[in-house]
Amino acid sequence: MNVNLALPMLTLFPAFGVIALLVLRGDDHVFIRRMALAVSAIEFALSLFLLPQVPVGSTGYRLEINVPWITSPPIHLHMGVDGLSLFLVLLTTFLTPISVLASWNSIQHRVKDFFVALLMLEVGVVGVFVSLDLFLFFLFWEIMLIPMALLIGIWGHERRIYAAVKFVLYTMAGSALMLVGILWLYNATGSFDLVEIQRQLQAGIVELSPRTEMLLFLAFFVAFAIKVPLFPLHTWLPDAHVEAPTAGSVILAGVLLKMGTYGMMRFCLPLFPHASYKAAPYVATLAIIGIIYGALVALVQPNLKKLVAYSSVSHLGFVVLGIFSFTVVGMQGAIYQMIAHGISTGALFLLVGMLYDRRHTFEISQYGGLATPMPRLAAFFLFAALSSLGLPMLNGFVGEYLVLLGTYIVHWQWAAWAATGVILSACYLLWAYQRVFFGEVTVEKNKTLPDASERERFILATMSIVILWMGIGSSYITHRTEKAAEAAHEHMQQWDVGAAPAPANGNVVTLERSSNR
Amino acid sequence: MVPTQYYLILSAILFGLGAVAFVFKRNIITIFMSIELMLNAVNLAFVAVSQALGKLDGQIFVLFVIVVAAAEAAVGLGIIILTARNRRSLNVERVDLLKL
Amino acid sequence: MTAPLLIFFVLAALAVAGAVSLILQKHPIHSALSLIVVMVALAGLYLLLGAEFVAAVQIIVYGGAIMVLFVFVIMLLNAGEEERTDFSKLAKFAGLPLSLALTGLLAAALIHRGAAVQNPAAPGMLADTSKISLLLFSTFVYPFELTSFLILVAIMGALVLAQREKN
Amino acid sequence: MFILDHLWIVPLLPLLGAAINGLFGVKFPNKVVNTVALSATGLSFLAAVEGVREFLDYFAQTGQPFQKAFFDWIVAGNFRAGFDLRMDQLTVVMVLVVTGVGFLIHIYSTGYMGHEGGYYRFFTYLNLFMFFMLILVLAANYVLLFVGWEGVGLASYLLIGFYFLRKSASDAGKKAFIVNRIGDFGFMLGMFLLFRTFKTLDFGQLFEAVKSSGMPHEAWGVFGTFTIACLLLFTGACGKSAQIPLYVWLPDAMEGPTPVSALIHAATMVTAGVYVVARSHLLFEHSETALVVVSVVGCATALFAATIGLVQTDIKKVLAYSTVSQLGYMFLACGVGAFGAGVFHLMTHAFFKALLFLAAGSVIHAMGGEQDMRHMGGLSGKIKVTYWTMLIGTIAIAGFPPLAGFFSKDAILFGAFTAGGGHDTGGRVLYGIGLLTAALTSFYMFRLIFLTFHGKQRYDEHHVHVHESPWSMLTPLVILAVLSVVGGWAAAPALWGGEDHFTAFLAPVFPVREAAEGLAEAAKLTLERTLAVVAIVAAAAGLGVAFWLYLKQPGKPAQIAKSLRGIYNTLYNKYYVDELYGATVIRPLLWLSENVLWKIVDVEAIDGTVNGVAHGAAALGQTVRQTQSGNARSYAVWVVVGALTVIVILFWPMLRPALGMVTP
Amino acid sequence: MSFQTPATEDFYRVLPELIWCGFGVLLMLLQPFTKNRPFFTAVAFVGASLGALSAFESAQHPGAGFFALIQIDTFSIFLHLLVGGVAALVVLAAGPYLKRENLDPAEFFALVLFATAGMGVLSSAQELLTAFIGLEMSSIASYVLAGYRRDTLKSSESALKYFLLGSFATAFFLYGIALVYGATGTTTLTLMQDAPATSNLLRLGLALILIGLGFKVAAAPFQIWTPDVYEGAPTPVTALFSAGPKAAAFALLLRIFATVPAATQYWFWAFWILAVLTMFAGNLGALVQTNVKRLLAYSSIAHAGYILVAFAAVTNMDAADKNLGAVPAYTAVLFYLLSYALVKVGAFTIVSQLGGKDEKYVTLDDYAGLSQRHPVAAAALSLFLLSLLGLPVTAGFFGKFYVFKAAVNSGLIWLAVLMALNSVIGAYYYLKVIVAMYMREPHDAVKDAPVAFPATVNIVLVLSALGTVYFGLFPNQVLRLLLEKTLIGGLK
């Protein structure tokens, strides 16, 4: 039994902020904003202390806490970080203060509630990433639904209620099945502990029949796929994004979607390797369809925010593809793409939000020529767009490249199809950029729009620095995520007992199912 | 000597007719009567079985059932009077404010 | 056919006829009278089964008290002939067939040989009222006492429901 | 060894310039912007020169290319892409051309862009371009090369769209980027294939691995690893170097300011494709098919673009098609195995095409922005320096000795003619087309000169005040003119009394291949001489026709155009290729995306299903609700139904045989 | 046979019932002397909670009492506490309601206490006739309570429908008892363990008992009365209905189930099908409701369906160690009942307060913008709804979790999947209420309507909310109690 309170404290810290917000003055909006900013900034600072805790080359989980919570069934407060979750936690804690800042002026209505919801959301998301007990994981997974739904539903735009309800129902549909899956797994292993279940499955203490394994895999996978979202389960996303307030979109795109891919990597692969193998071609096909489809639909969107939303469908397709390439390179790429997408799409949503703050519309046709009145915003937008379309030396490239490379190594056709996404992303982003920022100013109102304010510049500059740093110093991250990716990869290998001993990372993984299992 | 099964079959028929009456009748009082009919059928079954088993407790049960029937009758008729007063009709089909 | 059997069939026919009459009669008073017929017939059957005490209670409490209450209420409310409305399409079309099916099913289940119960050794041997009281006040004293509260509730309920508004 | 050990200084200087100007330039006066930009490029040039010097020392000592890893950029699994820079002879040529020509164009731009808005922005982009271009040529692995590759694409995008208020400009920028991306798609897949096969993308290691792998050369028609990898890489090269079918962006790219056209779309960036093919020559040499494809595509592009160039009236468009054509030439060289010749032409082309563009810019400057040659004429006396320098450039590109273009072109034609040991019909055909192209080049270039500088004045003097450009613009012209004149002698072959220093210099990279093995030295000389004469004749023919048509018979071209209307229109409209792409790819794709994928698949099918489920549930809910009729008799029936259900369920084992159902 | 008197211990065993009935009588006696409403509320509250607490005293005397007619075990103690607690909360919540609607408190509270006593009997009875008497006690009191606002059409209609259909179902139940008695020769559950499992009589008897109890727990298609009765009854009474009698009826079902092997065997498919029908009927019906009270009524049907899933799970246990394996499933039912009772009482209390005089404001439109008008009420109601929805950190989550677990453990994956599907449908209408409260603007009429939350109501809300969260976070103690092997005593 490990008792290291670091992670529970980190998870719950924003909740303390929530309590403080609830108890303290409720009418002073400036105070509330400052308070929320302080809480989220401190949370970010705290989370930075995780970095040295996961040194390069460290295996397994760090900062583990494992204390019993509920005796029957045995549910433990089991948390830990490894390279995979570390950066997702950091991403969350980084984007939250950014979101707070982004909502500084745009939220004028029910300010306290807004920041309460935002901070609660942070609790849920951080909790998801550090939980090592399936039950605990599920708990946080569900907890985060409500604040997010509120963010969309209260502070969203015209069809906010529809979007919020759709978001919740979609997610719940998946997670209800996941709960059945979790229980089934518990029934087989007598444990909710991820590490323990994994140990039992690997040691052969518990054997799942192929059919059972596949059903279990699906129970988990569908829940994750909805969250990702994987084509064709994606239709909640455009609605949710378009209707959500900026902060909501940033967190949604930045972090929430990653919960799905995180889940696939953390649960689907290690727990159900055979089923994952079997499902891989189908999953990859869906991912590739998602990449191309998302890009093509983004191409023709008249609504700027929807365009960015569909681009997420496309980008997340890469992540799924990388995971299901079952190569270290591909998985590393997937992890990297998760983080990179969080930053660059987050930045795009921030920018779209800033435009919205000025003009209260997302319609591209309402813009045009904005580079003249607001050159700074235009520059930042271009920067974010470039990072999103995967320009080398910016963050988007690294993930995309590694995913494609890792995939190519095993299935060149997959990679070839997916790589068309690289072309299409340039098409929709640059076209949209052109329509919004280039040309003469066509709408009279746009002529006098103010350029980025100091607050906005701070936000955008921060995002840009991260984008650039991630593009150049990617090895800082990949070194730390390497063991996690290798671990996930190894699980796939270990199960493949019939196959030849695993060649070094990145090499061809035989997909034949071993006969003796 | 009458086989116990005959009694049971008779009780089933009476019980069923009670159900038929319950579904068929519209007057609330008559509907309530059909419940009494069903309880009577039950009593018959109790007594018949009790005799077949050679145990007395079946008869005790009948007494309890009668008491309960009486209590139900008191409350039920109270409710019927209330309804009749409120609605000026004893047709159960006209009591349909609460629906959907 | 032995005498008891003959009596049984006569009484059974009477009871069934009473039940059917209950259904067919339009006026509640007639239905109530039909029900009394059933009750009396059943009382006869109880006697045939050797349950004299129950038969007596049946006549006194059921036929006497409860049914009088019914008739009283019918009179009080001045209930006229039944209004044979058919607002419920379900009841109109499916009610009768389904409830008859239920009757049939119940009877069929009991006619089935799997439902056979042993027949009594001799009729009338249980008809000992003192034994009933012994049982009632020792083994079943708890439910017996509970029935007192039950009646209390019923009285109070009737009171609460039937009383007129104070103002 | 300081610069060589800190080779990153060379690209970093322009980046620094870009950063300073980009972040603070908006507040700087033009002078400060100038200082920053010029010193960044100039210092970079000096550093490059010093680096080259150090490298030559180094090479003299070790005989090895210089390569150094600076930091890990991408590491994942066994994949590593470092920020590694490499210096070898090929790099030397490229670095010097890029920094040198780049610097000159920077100087020129201070004059040309002096009165434009967004001055700092322009120099930011230009410096940014220099950075990426230097990364491209200095990179020691494909991935880093790809950084420069995409980076120059970005800079190109920004600079083409510099006048972003013009829709055509932003369109052109976008088109350039996207078409390049299509090429990059292939380039990336090529990289992946190489990595999969050889487990590395580092030039040194990769080429070693290729050599030591003992993998056989792939003959014509064999689609092995090398062929596929090379073809994929070549796809990228086609995009960047504007070859068929991806050349369409380059003519449009003329929307950018003229110095940009000179620097990016003539001298440096567009040659990156050639550079990559040359860099990967070891791979290409392993595949017959790939080489054939390269040469055929190059040759076809050369001819194709030249024909379009014949009828263009926009002075920059003519140069643009000329560039496409000349790039085709370079690929032709590579395709026939004459990589050295290709690179040589790359260099000379950088000189004279930059010169031509800059001169054209000077003309446009003089004409106050007019680009249509039909509205020029007779300028030779008014802008003398421009005229003479441009004439030098024209002569150079047309292939008259002893100017630079002659030598490089001659080397290519010789390479083509002698391809496959000189007995290859294919090589002959390529040669023939090359020759034809040379004649056409000579024709349209002199057409340009005559239309612009000679003949009648076709503009209104009241509106246009022709004036010579400032010296900041003329100096680079002069320098480039000098280079165009003398540049060729670096590779003058023995025939012309030279020693072909250039080929010798590149020998460590491209081992000297006896192009015409089997031929005796004397026969080779004879052949060379013959081919040179033929080339000169072709060029002269082009000149003659142009002279006759545009100076002697000025009415004739219109007449010819009229009589050959179909051909003329086809050429004038660039073979309708843009329209073709629009009709077959772009519009169908947009239509499909909007009307099928979005509005039908997404909204109707998927979301429709989702909402349909919701509506279905609601409808079911209404049904359930309808059972709640409020009528107690109905409720009684429901209870009876329930009773029947329960009884049937419990008696099912007995009912089933009764109903005739038997358990199997 | 000789005359026997019950042991003294037996009276301790029925102490809760005695206290409840005693206080009921006391209230009736006090009625002529005072009109002080708070006084009656206090007395009734003391009675209800004292009765509940006295269950701890009866816990000191486990075992069969009154000639094995009742059984005191953990199970019955738990349910006594539950129904007593519910009654106490309902009493508190009803005080202000009765005042607002100008209804007599004494009889009302007395009826509540008698009904509670009936439920208490039901939860400890292990003999069918005793159970029947308990059932009737609670039912007859319930009929009256449903019609307590006797001058309104809705309330009297509610009483009439409840009474007619309830008696109808009672007849089935009773007939079932008669047939079981005929088949086994006894009505004591513990004596039925070796009853012939092939008898038609027993089979039919169990079917009829299931029909009777199915009606009480509102299993589809017997659920049909629920929405109307719940909607028409005074709201505190609805709170009582949804929590108390249902729990008691489930308790009896469970006890029969646990004790009579034949029941387990025959009832499995019935429960399977009833569970599915009930879940869908409840959830689909609720989907289209705009009346919050009625919506909650439908929701309680759905929840009965979830509980039935756990029943199906119990039946499907491996016969060999049925008792061992089934315990978690019993636990699931009991924990669910607890969480559900807490939430329903809380939710209906809020509905009752927000309704205003004559329960005018009960539609979703009236709830629009509640979060601004009364943030605490909105937050509390949201908490309850989320618990019903089964979101974590609420007791409802664990309740549902346990039911899921029971279903999956016994291999009823499809049932679990159907339940999951239903949870999603359920999510929609719970969200609809939350959406109305948080995301919509209030309409004018309701804007000015005063919303009063008197102290007693606040106590109810705080208790139920705290309970919901507490059991959502720390279910251990309850679970430990319920997971005993001797949960249901009296087995051989």
Side-chain angles (χ1 to χ4, degrees), chain A residues 162 166 170 231-236 238-239 292-293 296-297 299-302 306 310 328-329 332-333 369 371-372 375-376 382 386 389-394 397-398 400-402 404-405 408-412 415-428 430-431 433-434 437-441 470-476 478-479 482 486 504-508, chain D residues 26-27 71-79 81 83 120-121 125 131-132 135 142-144 146-151 153-154 157-158 161 163-174 177-179 181-186 188-196 199 201 228 232 586 589-603 606-608 610-611 614:
Chain A
Y162 169 75
K166 197 170 177 182
Y170 245 110
F231 176 91
L233 302 171
H234 65 277
T235 51
W236 63 270
D239 287 316
I292 298 171
Y293 176 89
L296 285 177
V297 176
L299 194 60
V300 292
Q301 289 304 317
K306 223 169 192 172
Y310 275 107
V328 173
V329 175
Q332 283 268 52
T372 312
R376 285 206 186 90
L382 182 64
L386 291 173
L389 64 78
L391 192 82
M393 286 282 159
L394 299 182
F397 173 75
V398 181
E400 233 167 59
Y401 189 86
L402 289 178
L404 289 173
L405 180 61
Y408 190 96
I409 288 167
V410 281
H411 298 281
W412 67 267
W417 280 108
T420 55
V422 175
I423 304 172
L424 293 171
S425 65
C427 296
Y428 61 76
L430 293 184
W431 193 26
Y433 187 76
Q434 180 195 17
F437 287 100
F438 286 162
E440 303 278 357
V441 181
M470 280 185 67
I472 297 169
S474 74
S475 59
Y476 183 84
T478 50
H479 278 315
E482 180 146 29
E486 272 174 15
N505 336 326
N507 285 353
V508 182
Chain D
V26 70
K27 296 191 186 97
F71 70 92
D72 283 349
W73 174 37
I74 305 178
V75 182
N78 61 342
F79 173 79
F83 190 86
Y120 80 97
R121 203 157 53 86
Y125 297 164
F131 164 69
F132 280 121
I135 291 281
Y142 278 106
V143 192
L144 193 60
F146 192 68
V147 172
W149 185 264
E150 288 259 290
L154 166 69
Y157 166 78
L158 293 170
Y163 302 115
F164 61 79
L165 293 181
R166 268 207 320 256
K167 177 150 192 307
S168 57
S170 58
D171 272 345
K174 186 184 67 187
F177 198 92
I178 291 171
V179 173
R181 270 267 157 149
I182 297 173
D184 296 348
F185 163 79
M188 277 173 83
L189 293 185
M191 278 194 274
F192 298 154
L193 179 54
L194 288 177
F195 182 79
R196 181 163 93 159
K199 307 275 173 286
L201 286 175
I228 294 171
L232 287 170
I586 299 164
L589 200 64
L590 286 180
W591 184 88
L592 179 85
S593 305
E594 175 154 6
N595 296 313
V596 178
L597 292 184
W598 179 31
K599 292 193 173 151
I600 294 181
V601 176
D602 218 54
V603 175
I606 301 175
D607 220 23
V610 172
N611 288 332

Side-chain angles (χ1 to χ4, degrees), chain E residues 318-347:
Chain E
D318 192 4
D321 74 335
K322 179 187 146 216
N323 219 22
L324 269 182
V327 166
Y330 297 147
T331 311
V333 174
L334 293 179
F335 193 87
Y336 203 101
L337 287 173
L338 168 67
S339 68
Y340 168 80
L342 276 171
V343 167
K344 271 283 148 88
V345 170

Side-chain angles (χ1 to χ4, degrees), chain D residues 87-335:
Chain D
M87 183 80 105
D88 62 6
Q89 282 76 6
L90 180 58
T91 316
V92 166
V93 174
M94 295 304 293
V95 161
L96 290 178
V97 168
V98 169
T99 50
V101 176
F103 182 56
L104 291 176
I105 292 173
H106 269 74
I107 296 173
Y108 177 90
S109 303
T110 58
Y112 188 85
M113 298 299 289
H115 308 292
E116 302 274 350
Y119 191 74
Y120 80 97
R121 203 157 53 86
F122 180 80
F123 278 100
T124 305
Y125 297 164
L126 220 50
N127 273 353
L128 191 68
F129 168 77
M130 293 295 289
F131 164 69
F132 280 121
M133 193 67 208
L134 285 168
I135 291 281
L136 196 160
V137 296
L138 285 169
N141 57 53
Y142 278 106
V143 192
L144 193 60
L145 185 149
F146 192 68
V147 172
W149 185 264
E150 288 259 290
V152 292
L154 166 69
S156 161
Y157 166 78
L158 293 170
L159 284 163
I160 296 170
F162 183 74
Y163 302 115
F164 61 79
L165 293 181
R166 268 207 320 256
K167 177 150 192 307
S168 57
S170 58
D171 272 345
K174 186 184 67 187
K175 185 174 177 183
F177 198 92
I178 291 171
V179 173
N180 267 303
R181 270 267 157 149
I182 297 173
D184 296 348
F185 163 79
F187 193 94
M188 277 173 83
L189 293 185
M191 278 194 274
F192 298 154
L193 179 54
L194 288 177
F195 182 79
R196 181 163 93 159
T197 316
F198 298 107
K199 307 275 173 286
T200 178
L201 286 175
D202 182 272
F203 291 144
Q205 292 169 14
L206 177 65
F207 298 145
E208 274 316 307
V210 172
K211 279 179 197 153
S212 61
S213 70
M215 288 165 82
H217 289 240
E218 286 158 13
W220 166 252
V222 176
F223 280 83
T225 306
F226 286 115
T227 308
I228 294 171
C230 289
L231 288 178
L232 287 170
L233 290 180
F234 181 61
T235 315
C238 280
K240 195 103 298 180
S241 293
Q243 297 298 294
I244 291 174
L246 300 178
Y247 71 94
V248 286
W249 64 272
L250 185 55
D252 290 6
M254 297 303 131
E255 287 290 342
T258 309
V260 171
S261 310
L263 178 61
I264 301 184
H265 306 123
T268 52
M269 182 189 92
V270 288
T271 61
V274 183
Y275 168 75
V276 161
V277 173
R279 179 55 84 196
S280 321
H281 69 96
L282 202 64
L283 307 173
F284 279 87
E285 280 164 357
H286 272 78
S287 168
E288 183 77 6
T289 317
L291 281 176
V292 170
V293 169
V294 171
S295 58
V296 168
V297 168
C299 194
T301 309
L303 179 64
F304 179 79
T307 54
I308 298 175
L310 294 178
V311 297
Q312 295 303 314
T313 53
D314 184 317
I315 185 165
K316 286 181 72 181
K317 284 273 164 77
V318 175
L319 291 176
Y321 281 104
S322 159
T323 306
V324 176
S325 174
Q326 295 303 310
L327 290 167
Y329 246 89
M330 297 175 208
F331 280 109
L332 171 60
C334 295

Side-chain angles (χ1 to χ4, degrees), chain E residues 185-228:
Chain E
T186 178
T187 50
T188 307
L189 297 174
T190 41
L191 301 178
M192 289 180 199
Q193 287 177 45
D194 17 59
T198 51
S199 165
N200 254 5
L201 222 50
L202 183 60
R203 205 185 275 266
L204 188 60
L206 286 172
L208 293 170
I209 286 179
L210 182 56
I211 293 165
L213 291 176
F215 179 88
K216 289 289 166 199
V217 302
F222 310 114
Q223 99 293 4
I224 199 86
W225 57 278
T226 327
D228 290 4

Side-chain angles (χ1 to χ4, degrees), chain A residues 453-494:
Chain A
S453 70
E454 227 152 80
R455 177 181 56 87
E456 289 169 336
R457 264 183 285 165
F458 174 76
I459 298 173
L460 295 173
T462 314
M463 297 300 276
S464 304
I465 289 168
V466 176
I467 287 174
L468 194 62
W469 174 74
M470 280 185 67
I472 297 169
S474 74
S475 59
Y476 183 84
I477 293 175
T478 50
H479 278 315
R480 284 166 175 76
T481 56
E482 180 146 29
K483 288 295 166 196
E486 272 174 15
H489 179 242
E490 254 165 52
H491 291 312
M492 305 300 295
Q493 304 269 308
Q494 281 180 7

